[in-house]
């Protein structure tokens, strides 16, 4: 089972590399001429990265953690392990025999655990920040059922105190911020490093692919049905989606043929999906509905990177495995609407058992602080029904699998030499309720230390407010 | 043959009929009153009630003895503030009796007849070790939400332990919105309605005299009279420190008032005043985000700091999914134990944390003499766990409510078993039962 999963993973990683190499970061339809010389009868050369990341890792020190239990994020475990972080990268990882440099900051991890930084593939921090007031509510462009032209990064408020809580309590080092699920096509996601910055660009994960948030099911039909417009049913959802994809296919054909097109931001996003450059992150609960959406992806020729929420994934775990679609789930949310009625606490474990790419996500500003605990509950539920899943295997749900689903498995999600040094040192087994992050490094820089009040970020919003600088 | 089948089906439904007399021996016994677990403990339940619990308790030979094999044996969890029984699916209006926002009544609303003991949230939460819950109504059209109840989560049709066990009112932002838009309106509306109720109590004819100008209906007035004279505890949802102080002042005007603070997110900022007023607090302990301007001081250390100030603290699951996730109660309590190890933070000891989800909520609602601990005379609500009940993934292996053995099987278990392998077999899944 594990072997199968790992080989699937490697295939996906090489596919991601291939995608990058083929496009070279430039649109396929671009002419060779720069934008300044584009004329009306020639396609313009649009930048695909007009809001570029300005994130740079903070200064890091040569760092060693030894005598520590390591979950490597790909299913491996090292007892009495050693890790060396250097210049923002993982330099080496191994057992007690790893040579420790003399000029390093050395931490004794006896009784503690070390994991890759937690990745939350489904967060609305920044677009639905704290305080949750109308003036800051920027997560749903709920004025049209299809808005692939909006970009979450244009809504994110970098001062959201939720980011700092996710870091300090949850060891979250990377988040995918999605638009909300009011719309069938809600817009582009943005992947952030969980490092405070003055600008969103200062948090943007360098080189991360974009995602397209899609939603099926009850939300779009409720939101637009209530406005007396299409879609008001599930068949309406599918019809609007299909009509939009048909338009996108035609748009992309024009681009591919080098024909002139008026700039259409919505179609640019969808063409990017059809070209395999933008990854579909699809909110979808019910098994039957996921199957419909899979057929739709075949009809129009795009790939679904992951289903999110996927409460009924256990009913079609074989299909999801066959389609190589990742599945992001809660441990035990249920009952808040009909499509969440058939939730079972074993969902995550059953999907894992089927060999599909299994992810624990939050979709919640509070639960993002305890994704390790959500994974622990799912793991316990699986074990209760007789599945043999080790702790280190379960950490793939927070490690390499979300990294794969957002297209960053080559950079984060596991502790391998050369990868970004996004690392959490936990003060006990991270699957225990009594455990908290002790230290969190991002790109090798110590960004949180439970023992050092100076390594505890306080957002602008919290300055001068009750409880400023509190442990929280 | 068919007759036998029918009979056994009927027998299944009616299975947990009578209370058993039981002795659970060899337990890691948790009384629930804040004392430390007792190794090698015994608890004896007779006639549905605890008659003895501790070490060296003699077991009468006449009753069934169950060996816990050193596992944790505890009182059932008391969900301190919930909507279990009122909601099946939140987004399905017909199955959601949480609120009565368009009713012409408010304080007089009584949730008891709205409770559904057969709802799947009852079974799911029971299987997580919750045996009792304090259930409050959500908002009505007026400031007062109505009268909540204390319920049991047993597998039978009688869910109500104590009806009209509390009156619920929200101050702060929610109360201001109900009252007309500001906190000033909340306090005025609160006082005016209580004064009207008092006038009604002195002379019921006044209500008729007020006619259409009456602030409240007769049923509301009767419910509020019970609040004024302290018969019904008043559970007040309030978060901001300044609002808490104003709520505490109400005791000065209405000395018989039995206040319970719910939420009290900024309670730690005014812990001294809450302690002096001897008002218990039910917290949502992991709320640590400044998610509104009345919760800027939110911190997970709230519970620990309140406890340290001498306040009676209960741990609840609300501001969350308060109809379905009572099972989070133990997880939340466990987090407070973990927090106690964090430099600069305040948490609870394990013993305190367990009391905060058993005897403390029972005390808040004035029922410490009948539920929430394994002291003699309390209801025979007993749970055997597979390991540390505050730890993630720990589950009950046996539950008794009022001494009656309970089913641990839920609808979710049935779904899980059907899809243990997702592929269909010789017949569709619908034939797989």
């Amino acid at each position: 089972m594990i072997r199968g999963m790992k080989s699937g993973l490697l295939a996906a990683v090489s596919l991601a590399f291939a995608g990058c190499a083929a496009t070279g970061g430039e649109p396929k339809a671009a002419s060779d001429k720069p934008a300044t010389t584009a004329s009306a009868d020639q396609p313009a050369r649009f930048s695909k990265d007009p809001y570029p990341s300005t994130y740079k890792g903070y200064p890091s020190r040569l760092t060693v953690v030894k005598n520590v239990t390591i979950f490597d994020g790909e299913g491996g475990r090292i007892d009495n392990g050693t890790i060396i972080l250097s210049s923002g990268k993982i330099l080496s990882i191994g057992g007690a025999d790893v040579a420790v440099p003399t000029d390093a900051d050395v931490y004794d991890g006896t009784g503690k655990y070390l994991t890759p930084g937690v990745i939350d593939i489904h967060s609305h921090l920044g677009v639905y920040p704290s305080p949750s007031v109308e003036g800051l509510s920027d997560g749903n462009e709920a004025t049209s059922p299809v808005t692939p032209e909006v970009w979450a990064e244009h809504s994110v408020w970098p001062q959201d105190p939720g980011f700092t809580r996710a870091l300090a309590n949850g060891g979250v080092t990377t988040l995918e911020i999605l638009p909300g699920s009011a719309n069938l096509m809600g817009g582009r996601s943005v992947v952030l490093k969980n490092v405070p910055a003055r600008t969103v660009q200062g948090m943007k994960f360098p080189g991360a692919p974009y995602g397209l948030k899609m939603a099926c099911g009850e939300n779009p039909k409720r939101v637009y049905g209530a406005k007396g417009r299409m879609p008001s049913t599930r068949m309406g959802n599918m019809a609007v989606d299909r009509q939009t994809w048909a338009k996108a296919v035609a748009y992309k054909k024009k681009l591919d043929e080098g024909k002139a097109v008026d700039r259409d931001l919505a179609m640019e996003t969808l063409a990017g999906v059809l070209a395999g450059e933008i990854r579909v992150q699809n909110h979808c609960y019910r098994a039957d509905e996921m199957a419909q959406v899979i057929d739709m992806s075949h009809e129009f020729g795009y790939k679904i990177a992951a289903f999110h929420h996927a409460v009924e994934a256990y009913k079609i775990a074989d299909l999801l495995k066959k389609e190589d679609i990742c599945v992001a789930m809660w441990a035990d949310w249920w009952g808040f609407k009909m499509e969440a009625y058939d939730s079972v606490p074993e969902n995550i474990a059953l999907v894992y058992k089927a060999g599909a790419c299994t992810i624990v996500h939050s979709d919640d500003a509070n639960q993002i602080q305890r994704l390790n605990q959500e994974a622990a509950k799912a793991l316990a539920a699986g074990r209760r029904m007789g599945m043999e899943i080790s702790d280190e295997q379960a950490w793939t749900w927070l490690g390499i699998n979300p990294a794969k689903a957002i297209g960053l498995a080559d950079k984060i999600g596991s502790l391998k030499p050369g990868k970004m040094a996004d690392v959490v040192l936990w003060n006990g087994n991270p699957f225990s309720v009594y455990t908290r992050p002790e230290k969190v490094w991002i790109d090798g820089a110590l960004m949180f230390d439970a023992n050092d009040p100076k390594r505890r970020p306080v957002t602008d919003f919290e300055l001068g407010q009750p409880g400023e600088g509190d442990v929280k | 043959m068919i007759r036998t089948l029918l009979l056994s089906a009927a027998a299944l439904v009616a299975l947990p009929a009578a209370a058993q007399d039981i002795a659970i021996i060899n337990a890691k016994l948790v009384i629930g009153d804040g004392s430390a677990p007792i190794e090698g403990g015994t608890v004896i339940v007779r006639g549905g009630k605890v008659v003895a619990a501790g070490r060296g308790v003699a077991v009468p030979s006449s009753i069934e003895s169950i060996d816990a094999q050193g596992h944790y044996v505890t009182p059932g969890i008391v969900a301190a503030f919930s909507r279990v029984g009122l909601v099946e699916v939140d987004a399905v209006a017909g199955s959601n009796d949480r609120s009565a926002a368009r009713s012409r009544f408010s304080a007089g609303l009584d949730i008891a007849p709205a409770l559904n003991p057969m709802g799947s949230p009852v079974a799911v939460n029971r299987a997580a070790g919750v045996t009792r819950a304090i259930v409050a109504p959500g908002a009505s059209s007026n400031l007062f939400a109505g009268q909540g109840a204390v319920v049991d989560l047993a597998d039978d049709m009688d869910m109500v332990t104590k009806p009209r066990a509390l009156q619920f009112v929200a101050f702060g932002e929610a109360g201001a919105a109900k009252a007309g838009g500001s906190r000033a309106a909340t306090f005025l509306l609160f006082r005016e309605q209580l004064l009207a109720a008092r006038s009604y109590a002195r002379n019921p004819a006044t209500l008729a005299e007020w006619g259409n100008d009456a602030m409240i209906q007769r049923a509301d007035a009767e419910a509020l009279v019970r609040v004024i004279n302290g018969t019904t505890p008043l559970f007040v949802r309030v978060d901001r420190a300044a609002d808490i102080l104003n709520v505490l002042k109400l005791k000065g005007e209405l000395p018989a008032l039995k206040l319970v603070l719910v939420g009290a997110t900024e309670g730690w900022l005014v812990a001294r005043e809450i302690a002096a007023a001897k008002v218990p607090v039910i917290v949502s302990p992991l709320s640590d985000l400044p998610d509104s301007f009345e919760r800027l001081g939110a911190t997970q250390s709230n519970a620990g700091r309140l406890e340290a100030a001498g306040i009676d603290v209960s741990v609840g699951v609300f501001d969350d999914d308060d109809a379905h996730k009572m099972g989070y109660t133990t997880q939340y309590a466990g987090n407070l134990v973990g927090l106690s190890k964090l430099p600069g933070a305040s948490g609870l000891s394990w013993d305190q944390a367990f009391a905060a989800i058993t005897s403390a909520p029972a005390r808040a609602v004035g029922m410490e003499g009948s539920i929430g601990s394994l002291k003699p005379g309390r209801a025979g609500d007993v749970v055997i766990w597979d390991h540390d009940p505050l730890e993630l993934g720990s589950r009950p292996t046996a539950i008794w409510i009022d001494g009656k053995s309970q089913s641990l099987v839920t609808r979710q278990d049935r779904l899980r078993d059907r899809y243990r392998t997702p592929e269909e077999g010789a017949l569709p899944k619908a034939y797989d039962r």
Side-chain angles (χ1 to χ4, degrees), chain A residues 283-444:
Chain A
H283 158 128
C284 215
Y285 285 68
R286 254 170 41 185
D288 57 326
E289 208 161 9
M290 284 188 267
Q292 302 274 15
V293 169
I294 288 170
D295 276 354
M296 179 166 68
S297 73
H298 295 164
E299 182 182 10
F300 294 99
Y302 69 92
K303 170 102 180 79
I304 301 157
F307 281 119
H308 294 226
H309 309 340
V311 159
E312 292 189 6
Y314 66 99
K315 296 185 182 178
I316 50 159
D318 52 340
L319 175 61
L320 295 166
K321 159 70 181 163
K322 182 173 137 263
E323 292 283 332
D324 189 29
I325 295 172
C326 291
V327 194
M329 293 157 283
W330 299 291
D332 53 14
W333 287 24
W334 74 287
F336 45 99
K337 50 183 170 173
M338 272 318 291
E339 62 194 10
Y341 193 53
D342 279 6
S343 168
V344 302
E346 294 83 0
N347 192 26
I348 288 167
L350 284 165
V351 169
Y352 179 74
K353 181 188 160 204
C357 163
T358 306
I359 297 165
V360 182
H361 72 355
S362 81
D363 190 22
D364 186 89
N366 201 268
Q367 212 159 69
I368 192 175
Q369 303 175 39
R370 290 183 299 281
L371 276 174
N372 56 314
Q373 296 187 14
E374 296 309 301
K377 288 190 286 185
L379 174 60
R383 285 175 178 164
R384 267 198 307 278
M385 72 177 290
M387 289 183 216
E388 286 179 21
I389 306 170
S390 68
D391 286 0
E392 54 271 24
Q393 287 166 345
W395 201 269
T396 59
W397 307 343
L398 304 173
I400 197 66
N401 290 351
K404 174 191 165 187
I406 55 178
L408 290 169
D410 56 328
K411 296 189 176 77
I412 55 170
S414 64
L415 301 173
K416 297 289 167 190
K419 282 191 149 183
M420 290 170 160
D422 296 352
V423 182
V424 184
L425 177 66
W426 303 84
N427 66 5
N429 185 320
F431 289 130
S432 166
V433 75
Y434 305 127
T435 296
R436 294 287 185 117
E438 182 180 306
K439 290 181 171 60
V440 184
W441 292 268
I442 300 181
D443 286 303

Side-chain angles (χ1 to χ4, degrees), chain B residues 6 24 61 82 92 109 287 327 392:
Chain B
L6 283 173
I24 302 167
S61 57
S82 79
V92 176
L109 292 162
S287 298
L392 300 161

Side-chain angles (χ1 to χ4, degrees), chain A residues 144-198:
Chain A
S144 165
V146 280
T147 56
E149 65 270 34
V150 307
W151 294 20
E153 66 199 78
H154 298 143
S155 274
V156 169
W157 185 42
Q159 298 297 337
D160 182 355
F163 289 120
T164 62
R165 306 291 192 280
L167 174 73
N169 298 327
V172 173
T173 55
T174 302
L175 326 78
E176 178 171 47
I177 310 300
L178 296 156
S181 51
N183 297 353
L184 296 164
M185 297 171 177
R188 290 198 196 194
S189 67
V190 62
V191 180
L192 303 177
K193 283 268 183 179
N194 195 11
V195 174
R198 292 171 296 161

